[in-house]
Amino acid sequence: MKAVKVRNAASLDSLEVVDIDAPGEPGPGEVRVKLHASSLNFHDYAVVAGMIPTEDGRIPLSDGAGEVEAVGEGVDGFAVGDHVMSVFFPQWQDGRPPMGSFETTPGDGIDGFACEAVVKPARAFTRMPENLDFTQAACLPCAGLTAWRALMEDGNLQAGQTVLLEGTGGVSMFALRIAKAAGARVIITSSSDKKLARARELGADHTINYKSTDDWGEEAFDWSKGGVDHVVEVGGPGTVNQAIDAIRPGGHIHLIGVLTGRKGEVETAALMRKMGRLQGLTVGSRAMQLRMIAAIEATGIEPVISDRFALSDLADAFRHEQDQKHFGKIAIDI
């Protein structure tokens, strides 16, 4: 079967399309899944670009959606023919989060979904939302669940609140869908007026071009008449102080990305004065994913898909992501 492997020293140029043996029959507690789709996340890019070290020959991509082909002994949650999608942290089923380790994350510590079929423990999957196809479902396990956890699990988003989203990537666009379904107002930032116009078409209530508006945090504070309730913070050190400027007293900053770097200064006095909450989070548990699926089915919300690439063109898909040409998610057809 076809697969893509990371060859060290890892880079987009070293990604290799290979033929490998198909997985055999699933063992006790396992399922074999024929994969139909995956999608790209920044975490995947960090692995294939060498920013996150991984073993030579690793099969990348943390997201996968497909159809159960075979079921091992003792598996009672799945049957042949079921449509399933992957879990980012297979060891985190429910409860308090574990230490933020990627040892069991597909495409990082273990092989991922850039291939045609896998055999994995049943706990590494959930059912798909009934209203979504394979490509849409493959956009959910990392970006979709991150947005869901931030706003609904940790943030307890309420109707009438205001959410500030940074950029128009996969997490931000799914957060837009969630926030509007919950009856919240949404502000979105971007450096592209074209992307901001598309965001307004999808329901954004206010948009800010952060290239032409230096103090965009203050503008968000003023537009929301006293500060936003939530910020989905994807930039990290380069943007978090703007997020502090934007929040209301007691507002919540959900730190989910470090696109501007891993270290930087945080205006702690300003955060204290606002009595704000700055919380780091990485994706979520399998139980959270099941609650997200139920909400997707109840509301009909769908991920925003920008582009689709074939598995054999995975390197080009990552270059497209690298150039920030996408709006929402980049999907991979398998």
Side-chain angles (χ1 to χ4, degrees):
M1 69 174 187
K2 294 292 183 183
V4 177
K5 291 190 173 185
V6 178
R7 294 300 186 188
N8 289 334
S11 72
L12 299 188
D13 293 331
S14 71
L15 282 175
E16 183 181 13
V17 181
V18 297
D19 287 306
I20 63 174
D21 292 337
E25 293 301 310
E30 294 181 331
V31 294
R32 187 175 74 233
V33 176
K34 176 179 175 58
L35 295 166
H36 291 286
S38 183
S39 72
L40 304 190
N41 301 287
F42 181 78
H43 183 90
D44 301 310
Y45 173 77
V47 171
V48 301
M51 299 162 60
I52 297 177
T54 194
E55 293 182 7
D56 182 66
R58 173 70 70 228
I59 296 175
L61 301 185
S62 64
D63 291 344
E67 183 177 354
V68 175
E69 287 188 317
V71 175
E73 181 182 354
V75 174
D76 57 10
F78 296 110
V80 173
D82 283 352
H83 292 184
V84 297
M85 65 189 204
S86 60
V87 173
F88 189 87
F89 288 121
Q91 302 300 323
W92 184 16
Q93 294 290 289
D94 199 2
R96 298 181 63 176
M99 184 64 73
S101 169
F102 300 113
E103 293 177 0
T104 63
T105 296
D108 189 334
I110 61 175
D111 281 339
F113 298 100
C115 56
E116 294 180 331
V118 295
V119 169
K120 290 183 179 290
R123 67 174 180 271
F125 297 96
T126 66
R127 67 183 184 88
M128 280 172 36
E130 293 181 358
N131 59 312
L132 300 187
D133 61 26
F134 291 115
T135 304
Q136 292 170 319
C139 298
L140 299 176
C142 181
L145 186 56
T146 298
W148 169 264
R149 178 186 169 190
L151 293 179
M152 306 307 295
E153 301 277 346
D154 295 344
N156 191 28
L157 178 66
Q158 301 294 308
Q161 290 187 330
T162 303
V163 178
L164 172 61
L165 306 175
E166 297 175 359
T168 56
V171 174
S172 293
M173 288 299 95
F174 199 71
L176 170 63
R177 297 290 209 198
I178 294 169
K180 297 307 297 182
R185 300 186 303 169
V186 176
I187 305 170
I188 290 185
T189 69
S190 174
S191 62
S192 166
D193 288 333
K194 182 178 180 180
K195 289 182 177 181
L196 290 175
R198 291 184 66 188
R200 290 192 295 271
E201 291 174 358
L202 292 174
D205 300 278
H206 185 61
T207 57
I208 305 172
N209 187 314
Y210 64 79
K211 287 293 187 182
S212 57
T213 306
D214 292 335
D215 297 324
W216 51 267
E218 291 184 8
E219 179 172 328
F221 183 92
D222 292 340
W223 183 86
S224 57
K225 295 180 169 52
V228 304
D229 300 276
H230 303 271
V231 181
V232 178
E233 173 58 60
V234 301
T239 55
V240 68
N241 291 322
Q242 293 277 0
I244 293 172
D245 288 342
I247 58 171
R248 63 164 172 80
H252 194 153
I253 301 172
H254 309 268
L255 178 60
I256 65 101
V258 288
L259 296 179
T260 62
R262 295 177 178 269
K263 296 181 180 180
E265 294 186 3
V266 176
E267 295 179 2
T268 52
L271 184 64
M272 291 171 62
R273 186 171 61 251
K274 288 280 187 80
M275 294 181 284
R277 179 181 179 185
L278 175 60
Q279 178 184 358
L281 68 136
T282 305
V283 197
S285 68
R286 187 176 187 272
M288 292 179 189
Q289 183 157 307
L290 288 170
R291 290 192 288 269
M292 175 188 68
I293 290 167
I296 289 171
E297 291 173 336
T299 60
I301 59 178
E302 300 176 353
V304 177
I305 298 175
S306 172
D307 309 277
R308 297 172 66 157
F309 288 81
L311 179 62
S312 58
D313 296 325
L314 186 59
D316 288 337
F318 277 117
R319 292 186 182 98
H320 191 75
E321 180 185 33
Q322 184 181 56
D323 293 339
Q324 298 183 345
K325 295 179 179 179
H326 59 296
F327 180 94
K329 292 291 288 180
I330 299 173
I332 304 300
D333 295 321
I334 301 176

